[in-house]
Amino acid sequence: MTRPVLIEKVRNIGIIAHIDAGKTTVTERILFYSGRTYKIGEVDEGTAVMDWMAQERERGITITAAATTCEWSEHMINIVDTPGHVDFTVEVERSLRVLDGGIVLFDAVAGVQSQSETVWHQADRYHIPRISFVNKMDRVGADFWRTVGMIRDRLVARPLPIQIPLGVEEKHLGVIDLVKEVAWLFPADKDEEPVEVPLPERYGEDRDGWPEEFMAGLLKADAVTPGAGELIISSLGEARIRREELVEAVAELDDQVLISYLEGRHISDAELRKAVRRATLANVVTPVLCGSAMRNRGIQPLLDAVIDYLPAPVDVPPIKGVHPKTGETIQRQAADDEPFAALAFKIVADPYVGRLAYFRVYSGKVSQGSLVYNSTHDGRERIGRLLRMHAQRREDIQETYAGTVVAAVGLKKTVTGDTLCDKSHPIVLEAIKFPEPVISIAIEPRTKDDQDRMSETLGRLSEEDPTFRTRYDSETGQTIISGMGELHLEIIVDRMMKEYRVEANVGKPEVAYKEAITRPAKVEGRFIRQTGGHGQYGVVELEVAPRERGAGFQFVDKIIGAAIPREFISPVEQGVKEALETGVLANYPVVDVEVTLVDGSYHPVDSSELAFRMAGSMAVRQALSRAKPILLEPIMEIEVATPEQFFGDVLGDVNARRGHVTMVDQRGHMRLIRALVPLAETFGYATGLRSLTQGRATYTMEFDHYEEVPSSVAEVLLGRVRGYVRR
Ligand SMILES: Nc1nc2c(ncn2[C@@H]2O[C@H](COP(=O)(O)OP(=O)(O)OP(=O)(O)O)[C@@H](O)[C@H]2O)c(=O)[nH]1
Ligand SMILES: [Mg+2]
């Protein structure tokens, strides 16, 4: 088999932006105009093809990135629509890792928003060439040039407007393409073809000199939308100035255009386009387009721009990896005759076909039924079915080639970030880095039946989402789930209940405290019962001593001779461990303690395993009370990046949260603060920081270590806990 589309004609692109900028609305239009769908899906009506999950349709937001494929001008475009909400940043991260180019959307009223900055910097890290689309030009207050200015100032980028809007707000009817020198008019009816009006060469200057072609165009435009002709005429002056600016900007970057410019020649459409493409691929500029996705305006030129300016897989540097055995660096060209290498970037539990693994093929090809080598885990896997995905619909394919994004059924052990390759040419590609979950809640299944289904469901969900973790806390007997934020966990719980029908009670976000001791103590534990017939007898003498933070529990047996028969030693240890699960201060688990069994006595008839277990437990509880117990709390390391003007407020807030600043630095135009802050003080931090900084600061947070709770705080905490803990 040969590949259906030449690799030069493939585009793998992601759509990224702040929440609600219109990513899904744009994607739905792309699917419609490329002939992939027959009806436009609407986010607001819950009919968007890309937002197929119930939770997405209910809330009108994207939660999980959805991939789809469409054809445009004999090219194949693979598009990934990503979510804008910060809790789902994992989806943007993994998409950018495997895509070649991006469309960044901006809301023409709000301009560059906080999350636009975040995704822009994420794309910077992956060196993704991108075009910018100023959406919502129909909104009251829309301003194309203000947004262009913000792209330059706030993102420290080099915007290159290659279009100007044809009218704004209510009057936004289309765009003027400065490269091709045409006006595009988009009729209100989505099924009607757009009208393309070629601009006169010396536009605006001499009405008498206007060519026939232009006059005919104006008439056609007026026929579609009365008044459109006048709008085009009145935009000619600005179009001329802006084109001149465009040519000058490109001439600064490109020698070929510079020569033509200096010689005073008219720069042709093709010449300009090639130069803009070179500068975009080199990540020097971002071409800026505009339109209104909701009004179906500007989408076709956007698709043209994806082809004209964004890279094919062969236009980006060859992928790098290492040899799994030797560690030597290996490069792979994006070509079908290279050995097969692919990166799994997403695992989805599909209700119809089962476990789906999405991967990006970097080199070589692979067919349905073939054996591949998972070089990350040193194992073999068989590709059952190969699928091309269209959001939630899928199409079986026989074979796939370098530069594609596809999904496979049948890979059992492959997880997100694994490399799949040819066993005889092994390579491990760089895995994807994910942030650590920062918030936990306890969930309890309602029935025994729910219990079993719950652990299976949570296992599946955490496989799909590397920023979601689940664990069973044997100390409290609860299942603890952790994630990136409250919305993240809310969606997980909702999916668990609706998709998998697990009933559960859900707690509030909580801190996992622990207890420890600060000095040694020695006690005797006696468990002696005389109840007429057969009695109970176990006596132990124990020493407890604090260990270093993080050292854990240790049991030492120092019994010499036959003070206690050997068979009773391990029951003592068991009793000790049980007692340590609930501390004497506030029932939190006790950590970092050494327990030594030094002596004891027994009774030839009444002694039993149970008696020694009880004696061990009792002794430890007494010893803990005498060993000056303390409360420990998790300390998080927070890193905040804030614009200069909010620096003082952010720092003050960190201090108010019992924070200890460890570093202050400058990164580009942002100030960086690193601090250690107790987890208990970080609840609501996302919201707090947002309101302090107008949403312009970003932060990451991860667990660092456990530390003693200061006594004033501990008193309040213990008072609260003891208030309802009955003993
Ligand atoms: N006026 C106007 N509204 C628009 C336009 N494009 C999108 N919208 C509206 O903006 C809202 C958000 O659109 P979405 O497409 O869901 O935005 P998104 O970027 O996918 O949002 P997330 O996936 O949640 O990050 C919806 O109510 C859309 O109807 C536009 O061009 N003009
Ligand atoms: Mg969306």
Side-chain angles (χ1 to χ4, degrees):
M1 263 186 84
T2 50
R3 50 183 309 145
V5 180
L6 287 176
I7 194 162
E8 290 78 14
K9 296 194 171 219
V10 173
R11 298 288 181 275
N12 295 309
I13 59 158
I15 304 195
I16 56 175
H18 190 87
I19 190 162
D20 268 359
K23 298 173 289 293
T24 304
T25 307
V26 165
T27 312
E28 295 291 328
R29 268 60 184 178
I30 291 180
L31 293 181
F32 176 78
Y33 287 113
S34 64
R36 182 48 74 190
T37 52
Y38 299 102
K39 196 173 160 293
I40 293 186
E42 296 290 355
V43 176
D44 305 317
E45 290 159 19
T47 56
V49 179
M50 303 305 289
D51 283 352
W52 54 270
M53 271 168 58
Q55 288 76 9
E56 297 182 307
R57 294 190 160 186
E58 278 164 18
R59 291 170 178 79
I61 61 165
T62 304
I63 291 165
T64 164
T68 189
T69 302
C70 71
E71 285 104 50
W72 187 255
S73 301
E74 293 163 9
H75 285 67
M76 182 169 91
I77 310 179
N78 296 312
I79 307 166
V80 176
D81 172 26
T82 67
H85 195 286
V86 63
D87 278 13
F88 312 110
T89 178
V90 57
E91 295 289 287
V92 179
E93 196 73 28
R94 61 167 139 218
S95 303
L96 291 176
R97 170 69 174 77
V98 298
L99 296 171
D100 302 319
I103 300 176
V104 188
L105 293 197
F106 299 93
D107 178 325
V109 178
V112 173
Q113 295 169 279
S114 65
Q115 207 53 22
S116 343
E117 286 186 44
T118 308
V119 296
W120 189 271
H121 297 316
Q122 271 174 300
D124 274 344
R125 264 195 281 121
Y126 290 101
H127 308 289
I128 301 272
R130 62 216 93 136
I131 52 182
S132 299
F133 184 80
V134 180
N135 189 32
K136 306 199 184 183
M137 283 306 303
D138 60 295
R139 281 187 64 195
V140 175
D143 191 332
F144 178 70
W145 294 103
R146 182 183 57 218
T147 307
V148 169
M150 287 175 92
I151 294 174
R152 183 173 47 240
D153 302 337
R154 301 248 317 237
L155 301 178
V156 203
R158 199 152 167 180
L160 203 62
I162 56 165
Q163 290 182 348
I164 60 170
L166 189 58
V168 290
E169 302 182 349
E170 261 305 289
K171 290 211 189 71
H172 175 66
L173 299 181
V175 299
I176 292 183
D177 179 336
L178 301 175
V179 176
K180 212 174 161 194
E181 297 177 270
V182 297
W184 283 94
L185 182 80
F186 303 97
D189 182 351
K190 66 181 184 346
D191 295 315
E192 257 183 66
E193 287 293 310
V195 180
E196 192 179 341
V197 184
L199 303 183
E201 209 170 292
R202 288 173 299 136
Y203 25 110
E205 282 176 0
D206 173 14
R207 284 192 181 219
D208 295 337
W210 281 348
E212 276 300 306
E213 205 188 8
F214 180 54
M215 301 298 279
L218 291 181
L219 286 177
K220 220 164 135 192
D222 257 345
V224 171
T225 315
E230 252 331 291
L231 186 60
I232 294 174
I233 294 170
S234 66
S235 305
L236 287 178
E238 180 172 19
R240 193 184 63 232
I241 297 167
R242 297 299 184 183
R243 184 174 210 266
E244 195 60 22
E245 286 176 5
L246 173 66
V247 171
E248 277 171 23
V250 177
E252 252 180 57
L253 304 165
D254 196 282
D255 287 349
Q256 286 173 27
V257 173
L258 180 66
I259 293 168
S260 306
Y261 178 72
L262 292 177
E263 287 173 355
R265 266 191 278 133
H266 181 82
I267 317 284
S268 76
D269 163 14
E271 201 177 349
L272 199 52
R273 193 153 9 130
K274 274 191 203 138
V276 174
R277 178 177 180 81
R278 280 191 292 269
T280 310
L281 295 192
N283 250 317
V284 176
V285 298
T286 176
V288 189
L289 297 84
C290 63
S292 161
M294 200 180 68
R295 303 274 171 101
N296 310 317
R297 296 192 161 117
I299 301 302
Q300 295 94 330
L302 176 64
L303 281 166
D304 289 341
V306 165
I307 289 166
D308 289 342
Y309 306 119
L310 290 181
V314 284
D315 296 322
V316 295
I319 188 86
K320 285 201 183 97
V322 295
H323 190 284
K325 297 264 154 36
T326 66
E328 125 203 48
T329 306
I330 311 172
Q331 273 199 5
R332 284 288 158 73
Q333 305 292 333
D336 298 340
D337 53 8
E338 284 261 311
F340 171 65
L343 186 82
F345 64 96
K346 193 173 165 101
I347 304 294
V348 174
D350 185 290
Y352 302 102
V353 295
R355 196 173 187 275
L356 261 182
Y358 281 77
F359 57 90
R360 156 78 193 250
V361 183
Y362 283 97
S363 59
K365 49 191 178 185
V366 71
S367 48
Q368 185 178 315
S370 58
L371 266 181
V372 292
Y373 176 58
N374 180 326
S375 56
T376 311
H377 291 122
D378 187 22
R380 281 191 169 249
E381 291 258 54
R382 186 177 298 279
I383 293 191
R385 286 167 69 190
L386 265 184
L387 304 166
R388 184 177 295 147
M389 298 301 292
H390 305 292
Q392 187 56 343
R393 278 193 317 109
R394 46 200 96 62
E395 176 192 336
D396 272 278
I397 49 174
Q398 293 303 313
E399 198 169 29
T400 195
Y401 308 88
T404 52
V405 175
V406 291
V409 181
L411 301 177
K412 296 199 176 62
K413 298 198 191 84
T414 299
V415 296
T416 300
D418 284 4
T419 302
L420 300 171
C421 62
D422 176 350
K423 172 108 196 189
S424 47
H425 297 90
I427 181 171
V428 181
L429 304 173
E430 197 189 324
I432 314 170
K433 287 197 193 76
F434 296 115
E436 284 294 307
V438 294
I439 185 169
S440 295
I441 51 173
I443 49 175
E444 275 168 15
R446 297 239 167 96
T447 66
K448 174 79 185 75
D449 197 33
D450 288 322
Q451 167 85 66
D452 300 339
R453 274 212 314 277
M454 187 174 89
S455 45
E456 194 193 320
T457 304
L458 292 178
R460 270 197 213 168
L461 291 172
S462 63
E463 210 179 44
E464 284 186 16
D465 180 351
T467 54
F468 166 64
R469 310 271 168 78
T470 167
R471 77 185 166 88
Y472 180 74
D473 187 340
S474 58
E475 291 159 354
T476 60
Q478 285 174 317
T479 297
I480 311 291
I481 61 173
S482 328
M484 301 305 297
E486 285 179 69
L487 179 64
H488 188 198
L489 294 180
E490 182 192 315
I491 299 285
I492 298 258
V493 169
D494 197 51
R495 287 188 64 188
M496 184 181 85
M497 292 181 172
K498 291 208 182 110
E499 267 171 57
Y500 298 92
R501 284 189 266 301
V502 178
E503 293 282 319
N505 298 321
V506 182
K508 287 211 173 66
E510 268 192 64
V511 177
Y513 292 100
K514 296 197 188 297
E515 295 182 22
I517 54 170
T518 53
R519 66 177 183 208
K522 190 170 176 179
V523 295
E524 192 185 60
R526 307 170 67 88
F527 187 73
I528 302 172
R529 298 282 183 278
Q530 301 289 227
T531 49
H534 198 57
Q536 295 283 9
Y537 189 101
V539 174
V540 296
E541 199 179 318
L542 297 178
E543 262 175 23
V544 297
R547 299 188 77 203
E548 230 176 86
R549 205 53 68 238
F553 163 73
Q554 192 172 26
F555 183 78
V556 182
D557 166 21
K558 278 207 181 146
I559 296 287
I560 308 162
I564 301 175
R566 303 263 31 115
E567 70 263 33
F568 295 139
I569 305 283
S570 126
V572 173
E573 181 176 350
Q574 206 191 330
V576 166
K577 279 190 186 157
E578 282 165 7
L580 291 177
E581 279 173 21
T582 43
V584 294
L585 274 183
N587 287 352
Y588 293 112
V590 182
V591 295
D592 306 336
V593 56
E594 181 180 271
V595 178
T596 309
L597 176 58
V598 284
D599 204 358
S601 63
Y602 76 108
H603 185 277
V605 179
D606 289 349
S607 277
S608 66
E609 289 193 1
L610 176 73
F612 276 97
R613 213 174 88 205
M614 296 303 289
S617 274
M618 287 166 61
V620 161
R621 288 193 72 78
Q622 282 177 43
L624 290 176
S625 313
R626 288 186 206 170
K628 210 158 169 271
I630 52 165
L631 212 52
L632 301 178
E633 63 179 345
I635 305 291
M636 313 298 284
E637 187 184 67
I638 293 194
E639 190 177 290
V640 191
T642 171
E644 181 72 48
Q645 76 247 51
F646 308 115
F647 179 69
D649 292 344
V650 173
L651 204 61
D653 180 59
V654 164
N655 286 326
R657 292 174 187 271
R658 294 199 277 130
H660 169 66
V661 176
T662 56
M663 187 208 71
V664 172
D665 202 3
Q666 188 91 31
R667 187 188 293 158
H669 57 304
M670 303 288 264
R671 289 299 289 273
L672 223 61
I673 301 169
R674 198 175 292 162
L676 293 170
V677 183
L679 176 64
E681 306 290 335
T682 63
F683 290 141
Y685 191 63
T687 321
L689 188 66
R690 208 177 297 138
S691 60
L692 268 184
T693 65
Q694 295 163 18
R696 305 240 339 255
T698 54
Y699 77 99
T700 55
M701 177 157 83
E702 62 183 327
F703 169 75
D704 199 77
H705 66 282
Y706 269 92
E707 203 172 279
E708 181 176 355
V709 179
S711 55
S712 56
V713 179
E715 258 169 47
V716 177
L717 203 71
L718 290 176
R720 213 175 59 209
V721 173
R722 289 205 177 113
Y724 64 81
V725 172
R726 268 182 217 111
R727 288 167 186 284

